[in-house]
Structures are given as structure tokens and as C-alpha cells.
Amino acid sequence: EVKKSLNFIEQIIEEDLKGSYTEQELKFRFPPEPNGYLHIGHASSICLNFGLGERYNAPVNLRFDDTNPIKEEQEYVDAIKEDVVWLGFKWDKECYASDYFQQLYDWAVELIKSGNAYVDSQSSAEIAEQKGTPTVPGTESPYRNRSVSENVELFEKMKNGETPEGAHVLRAKIDMTSSNMIMRDPVMYRSLHKKHHRTGDDWKIYPMYDWAHGESDFIESVSHSFCTLEFLPHRELYNWFISKISNNEDFIPKQREFARRNLSHTIVSKRKLLQLVEKKVVNSWDDPRMPTISGFRRRGYTPTSIRKFADTIGIAKRENIIDVSLLEFCIREDLNKIAPRVMGVLDPVKLVITNYEDGEEWLDTENNPEDENAGTRKIPFSKELYIEREDFKEEANRKFFRLTLGKEVRLKSAYIIKGESVVKDDAGNILEIHCTYDPKSKSGSGTEESLRKVKGTLHWVSIPHAIKAEIRLYDRLFTVAAPDADKEKDFMDFINPDSLQVITGYVEPSLKDARVADKFQFQRIGYFCIDKESTKENLIFNRTVTLRDSWEK
Ligand code: ATP
Ligand code: MG
Ligand code: MG
């Protein structure tokens, strides 16, 4: 196997290992906020961090960045864990920023005492106004020089919920003239009298991301804290905060940044995905149209395909949009190897073989030509079959390699048939196609007739044996590649109204025992899996992806 060249994140680590770091010191984390389900962008971050863990045999923590009780829920925590496990990764420790609330509070009091933080009693609008612009320095708050004792006392009152929400915040005292806007006395704490999904009513103040994240890395001795590019200007603050709570002997984590990954024809933002759920554009977070990991799972994607996708796109220093066809390529490639071949007819028309006697016979067919261990199975054949309506034309030009009147085609794993006549209703719709078969042409029989070359092979199901099934055909959720790129418009304006089509199809009887999440190739059509709402009485298939890339741009 050719060794891939190192990406820039791995290069950073290699440089550090040549410098002062030892391999034993390497430690990473994946830090989701439990305010939604993980999406395909997170898969990149998971594969990056856990991939580094595997490469360097280093621990990776799963850290929940649960500092905002308004948006976070236990349901999301559970879903995130399920998704990481499903992708095939194992975390070292399961950590929560909320477990550090007391430590963070104690450190904040220390910062107040060392003159590095103060309670500001202005409104958030006033604070925002004083921030200045990148070229105009900010204005210092009139509360900036409050005495330490007054700050300590007020901060304690905030903590106890004795001051109203919004009356005060705790701010770091850094530099209102800094060229880095993030360094202009950032807020460290706000009052929120809200119940937290883990700490309940214990806290009336909650730390801001910047204050919690780096300190959590420090507490856990994370060596490299990889985050997305928008945090680049926060790096200075990350370092400043850690410098205030550490000393020379301490092991100091470092933040480095990589580009957020975007997928075409969808959105990767938990906040916006939540809107799709709340406005019932989709049915749930794991709706198979969602770009969530759980949505892809339910759609029939495999962990292998998602990891392959993440590895293929790698990581980058600049944002761009990855075309969803690459992800589809990855799932086709995996399912081609592992999915059993079956027959299902989605748009049936009745085919009668006039010279076939009543009764049935069971024919042998291969389960998966790509897998020599997959074996064969029996499928029933009879006088009356369904084929796809689009596989027949009364007359057609020579490029139509399917059934026409007077011409021959093969029925997959069965016989060669010839179109003879049609039965139509008064409106001219075809009700039945009548044909004859060549009894000596049975597939695999080795006869001269069976080896005859005919122009096409069709899939089919035997009508008396077929199982009726609900088939859910999914299409892209958005009609444009970048639905949230246009700042003038709302991403909701680009919803594809035809992203779900539910039809009734007929599948071969071997599928009667198929179980939730089982995956199949419906020959000549695409890959399908059993949906979680499927029952023995009402089989439901999700189309994972068509056999070929047929999207027209
Ligand atoms: P969202 O806007 O969807 O909520 P987020 O960055 O706020 O995204 P977090 O839960 O904080 O979501 O993300 C956990 C980790 O995953 C972070 O390190 C974050 O940088 C990374 N991440 C999030 N979205 C992407 C993405 N699209 N591509 C790569 N990494 C991502
Ligand atoms: Mg977020
Ligand atoms: Mg975040």
C-alpha cells in the first residue's frame, strides 16, 4: 500500500514530536455541543481526531461542550454517542464541560482577584456598541475598574442567582484597543436561570465557549485541540486564558485550525438542520434526506462509506463545497461489494408468457457476483410476471436494448422471451404484454440456446410470489448546490419539493425475512435498505442511491 503523504495537521504533530513533545503526551478530543445531531461535517472532525488517535496510538476524549442549557438536551448526547460508536471509533474518556463548572468558577474568581476579570453591569447592547470595529478601538466599560472585592461579591451573587438574568456579565480584562476584536474584554460568564440537562438547577451562571473550551482541554491534558477555521482569531484568547491559570511546569494544549467541510445540495449546520425538523420539512433528525450521520445510517449508508469519504476529501486549510456525488460514489463502491442482489420492480406492468404452463419453477441465481462466498438462492418463476413499464416499448429504435414486439430479451437468471402482442385499455394504456419463451434457453443450463446472445437482460418478479412493498425514493433536499451561500435569501427558499416520493413496488419473496437496516441491490435500479418503520406486514425500503450517477445538473 502506498503511504499517503502527511496532511498539514499530521505535519504539525510530526514537528512537535521532533521538538519537545513525546508520543505519550499526545491526546486529542472530539468536542461536540449537544445541541443537535451530528452531521457529515462532524464526521470529518471525528475521522480527523480519532484517526490521529489510531495513527499515534493516543487517547481521544469525547467531550461534550455543554455550556448552553437553552439549546442542549440529553437526547442529543445519546444520539452523538451512538453515531461515534456506529462510525467505529472508541473514545478514551467521556467528558463534559459541565463537569468542570466548579473548577471554571474557581479559576474565574482567581482571575478577578488577580485583576484579570471584572463584572460589567451594562446591557449587552451597550457592550456591543463599545466593541469598536477592526479599525476603530473599543471603549472601556465604566465598570472596568471596579474594586476586586466588589467584583468578587457581585460575581458570587450572580452565581447564586441573586441578580437578574442579563443584569451583569463577567468579562476578561484584556485590551479594548487590541487589533484582535476577540481580545477586547470578552465575556466569560452570563447569568442564565435555566435548568441544565446534567447539572439541573445548580448553576445560575454559565461559562462562554472561549472560557470553557481551552480550560477543558487543559484539565484533560489534551495536546492538540483541532477546531474549525472560524476559531483562528480565538487562538490568542485561548492562549491568554490558559496562561492565566497555568504555570511553567504545566502541559499546555495548543489549538490549531482546519477548514469546515461543506457538502453540496445540503446544509451542515445544526441550527439550520433543527429548523428543518421544527418546520417539518423533514420528519426527524434521522430522516433519510438529512445530512446527519443518523440520516445517512437510516438511508442505508455504511460506516465504511462515510469514513472513506472523510479520508478521501481529507482536511484542508480553505473552505469549499464537496460535491455530494463523491459521497454517493463511496457508498456505491461499498454496497457493490457487500449488498446481495435481488429483484424488485418499482413501476410494474404485467407480462404473460403464453406458452409457459401453469405452475412454478424455482431458478438458481447468484447472490452477489462481487463476492464469491455469497452463494446462490432460488427464485420463483411462473407464467405471469411483472417487469418495469419502461422496459417495454411496442416499437423502438435499435438503441433500445429492452423488450419490443418481435424482438428477444433475456429475463435475468431465467429464459429468453420474445414480445408478441399487447392488451390495452380503452385509453390505450398497456395492461398486459404477451410474449413467448424459449424453453431451452434457461440461464446456466449450458444449452446452445441458453448461450445465445440477445440484446438485453431485464429484471422481473413472479406475480403470484411477489411481495408488495412501500418504496421511498429520496432525492436531494435542496435544488441548488449551496443553499445557504446567498446571504440575501433564506436557505428554506431552495427546498426541493420532490425530495421524497413514496411508491408501491413488488419484490421477490426472499425479502420477506429482511430486517431493519439490511441492504440490497435491486438489480438494474439501485441500492435499497429496510427502513426502521418497516414491518412484516408492510415492508418499507429506502433507496440509498441509484446504481449510476443520474443527477442532471
Ligand atoms: P454547527 O454549526 O453545525 O453546530 P459546530 O461547529 O457549532 O457546528 P460543534 O458541536 O461545536 O458544532 O462541533 C464539534 C466539532 O466538530 C468541532 O471541533 C467543530 O469544529 C467540528 N465541526 C463542526 N462542523 C464541521 C464541519 N462542517 N466540518 C468539519 N468539522 C466540523
Ligand atoms: Mg454550534
Ligand atoms: Mg461549536
Side-chain angles (χ1 to χ4, degrees):
E1 197 180 331
V2 185
K3 187 154 176 340
K4 275 196 299 180
S5 59
L6 297 181
N7 65 42
F8 76 94
I9 292 287
E10 289 161 348
Q11 280 170 17
I12 290 171
I13 295 170
E14 292 295 327
E15 285 304 311
D16 286 341
L17 288 173
K18 278 185 214 145
S20 64
Y21 285 68
T22 66
E23 242 179 76
Q24 290 68 41
E25 282 171 329
L26 295 182
K27 190 189 263 193
F28 310 104
R29 90 286 171 261
F30 170 64
E33 184 183 356
N35 62 345
Y37 282 58
L38 297 180
H39 52 61
I40 190 74
H42 292 113
S44 274
S45 178
I46 292 169
C47 291
L48 170 68
N49 286 294
F50 285 96
L52 290 170
E54 284 174 1
R55 180 180 188 111
Y56 294 102
N57 198 18
V60 184
N61 288 348
L62 175 61
R63 157 128 43 84
F64 289 98
D65 240 330
D66 56 346
T67 55
N68 182 357
I70 300 171
K71 294 187 175 158
E72 297 160 2
E73 287 174 32
Q74 187 60 39
E75 177 196 341
Y76 298 139
V77 171
D78 298 338
I80 288 168
K81 285 164 66 177
E82 186 182 353
D83 289 349
V84 176
V85 169
W86 180 74
L87 282 174
F89 294 111
K90 261 189 92 173
W91 52 84
D92 185 44
K93 296 200 173 66
E94 180 180 329
C95 305
Y96 294 83
S98 57
D99 282 347
Y100 312 138
F101 280 171
Q102 185 63 46
Q103 174 69 78
L104 291 169
Y105 176 79
D106 293 343
W107 276 331
V109 173
E110 273 180 40
L111 257 67
I112 292 173
K113 289 182 175 162
S114 59
N116 287 304
Y118 62 97
V119 174
D120 196 337
S121 306
Q122 302 181 96
S123 68
S124 55
E126 285 167 318
I127 291 173
E129 240 167 67
Q130 293 162 0
K131 266 263 145 130
T133 69
T135 49
V136 178
T139 312
E140 293 188 354
S141 162
Y143 299 97
R144 199 170 196 263
N145 294 312
R146 254 180 175 145
S147 71
V148 166
S149 58
E150 198 186 340
N151 277 321
V152 170
E153 196 180 314
L154 265 174
F155 188 47
E156 186 162 357
K157 283 196 173 143
M158 284 168 66
K159 175 194 161 212
N160 295 335
E162 290 158 18
T163 59
E165 277 187 344
H168 315 280
V169 293
L170 186 74
R171 294 178 74 181
K173 193 171 182 176
I174 307 180
D175 180 3
M176 289 304 291
T177 67
S178 173
S179 58
N180 181 354
M181 299 281 291
I182 304 284
M183 298 299 279
R184 295 184 185 175
D185 291 11
V187 174
M188 295 171 65
Y189 275 95
R190 54 187 173 154
S191 299
L192 272 181
H193 301 174
K194 294 278 179 333
K195 205 182 184 77
H196 184 280
H197 64 102
R198 293 188 78 244
T199 59
D201 291 316
D202 290 356
W203 292 89
K204 308 292 178 195
I205 53 170
Y206 289 92
M208 303 303 286
Y209 174 89
D210 284 313
W211 171 238
H213 198 89
E215 315 337 278
S216 300
D217 289 340
F218 176 76
I219 291 168
E220 294 169 21
S221 306
V222 166
S223 61
H224 296 78
S225 180
F226 296 113
C227 58
T228 36
L229 272 182
E230 69 271 22
F231 288 101
L232 183 57
H234 297 249
R235 196 205 278 186
E236 191 179 356
L237 180 57
Y238 180 100
N239 293 337
W240 189 90
F241 276 140
I242 291 177
S243 75
K244 297 298 169 206
I245 57 153
S246 60
N247 56 49
N248 288 339
E249 291 93 67
D250 287 328
F251 182 78
I252 305 296
K254 61 158 88 173
Q255 175 188 307
R256 290 295 179 269
E257 306 80 16
F258 64 98
R260 198 168 265 276
R261 283 308 194 181
N262 303 300
L263 189 66
S264 78
H265 298 91
T266 192
I267 42 175
V268 281
S269 153
K270 281 178 282 182
R271 185 175 58 78
K272 291 176 183 166
L273 294 175
L274 176 63
Q275 287 184 50
L276 296 177
V277 177
E278 284 179 337
K279 295 191 176 151
K280 303 207 183 321
V281 173
V282 296
N283 296 317
S284 56
W285 281 97
D286 72 347
D287 186 300
R289 292 166 290 178
M290 288 282 268
T292 51
I293 294 177
S294 51
F296 284 119
R297 175 166 65 235
R298 188 168 163 195
R299 174 95 170 237
Y301 277 71
T302 58
T304 306
S305 66
I306 291 178
R307 288 174 66 158
K308 178 75 191 289
F309 172 72
D311 284 351
T312 305
I313 63 176
I315 52 156
K317 291 183 182 179
R318 273 206 210 141
E319 257 196 61
N320 63 355
I321 298 175
I322 311 290
D323 200 287
V324 65
S325 60
L326 180 60
L327 181 61
E328 291 171 350
F329 173 83
C330 293
I331 186 59
R332 281 193 195 100
E333 190 182 50
D334 194 27
L335 291 177
N336 180 46
K337 284 187 220 135
I338 63 169
R341 273 53 172 172
V342 295
M343 291 202 270
V345 175
L346 302 194
D347 182 16
V349 63
K350 186 171 170 182
L351 183 88
V352 180
I353 305 172
T354 53
N355 61 337
Y356 192 86
E357 287 180 21
D358 289 337
E360 62 179 35
E361 75 182 295
W362 290 77
L363 305 169
D364 286 311
T365 189
E366 255 180 319
N367 287 329
N368 186 349
E370 298 290 320
D371 176 0
E372 56 187 30
N373 300 317
T376 60
R377 70 180 182 291
K378 299 269 187 199
I379 46 171
F381 187 81
S382 69
K383 191 181 178 81
E384 296 190 342
L385 312 173
Y386 283 134
I387 63 167
E388 296 294 343
R389 194 165 280 276
E390 66 165 24
D391 281 341
F392 174 75
K393 277 187 190 168
E394 288 176 73
E395 288 168 56
N397 66 25
R398 291 172 44 206
K399 286 189 187 137
F400 187 73
F401 293 116
R402 303 180 223 174
L403 186 62
T404 56
L405 294 180
K407 298 265 169 58
E408 289 189 323
V409 289
R410 174 171 287 289
L411 294 174
K412 172 73 185 166
S413 298
Y415 297 95
I416 294 173
I417 56 167
K418 183 160 130 198
E420 304 286 358
S421 61
V422 289
V423 179
K424 294 183 180 175
D425 66 10
D426 293 342
N429 300 309
I430 294 173
L431 299 178
E432 291 180 5
I433 303 160
H434 287 197
C435 63
T436 51
Y437 86 119
D438 176 352
K440 293 193 184 129
S441 66
K442 187 162 147 184
S443 295
S445 63
T447 60
E448 205 176 302
E449 290 84 351
S450 74
L451 299 171
R452 210 143 45 80
K453 285 259 174 293
V454 290
K455 60 182 173 178
T457 302
L458 307 185
H459 61 275
W460 52 273
V461 291
S462 162
I463 294 177
H465 302 90
I467 310 173
K468 210 172 177 176
E470 178 178 328
I471 317 259
R472 298 178 179 174
L473 304 174
Y474 301 103
D475 205 336
R476 294 175 185 186
L477 194 47
F478 293 92
T479 53
V480 295
D484 53 1
D486 189 340
K487 299 295 166 226
E488 306 288 293
K489 286 199 174 148
D490 191 70
F491 69 95
M492 289 283 192
D493 297 341
F494 300 106
I495 299 278
N496 175 7
D498 302 316
S499 61
L500 170 62
Q501 195 196 343
V502 181
I503 61 170
T504 301
Y506 292 86
V507 299
E508 63 170 77
S510 72
L511 289 169
K512 73 176 192 311
D513 297 321
R515 287 186 300 189
V516 172
D518 281 356
K519 296 164 178 58
F520 304 95
Q521 183 195 92
F522 285 11
Q523 290 182 96
R524 300 181 59 236
I525 301 181
Y527 294 99
F528 292 77
C529 76
I530 302 274
D531 188 69
K532 69 176 188 185
E533 291 171 351
S534 184
T535 61
K536 265 209 143 19
E537 294 68 43
N538 183 36
L539 272 185
I540 303 173
F541 288 89
N542 293 324
R543 183 172 68 197
T544 309
V545 68
T546 53
L547 268 196
R548 271 166 223 92
D549 189 356
S550 61
W551 180 259
E552 309 207 346
K553 289 189 180 122

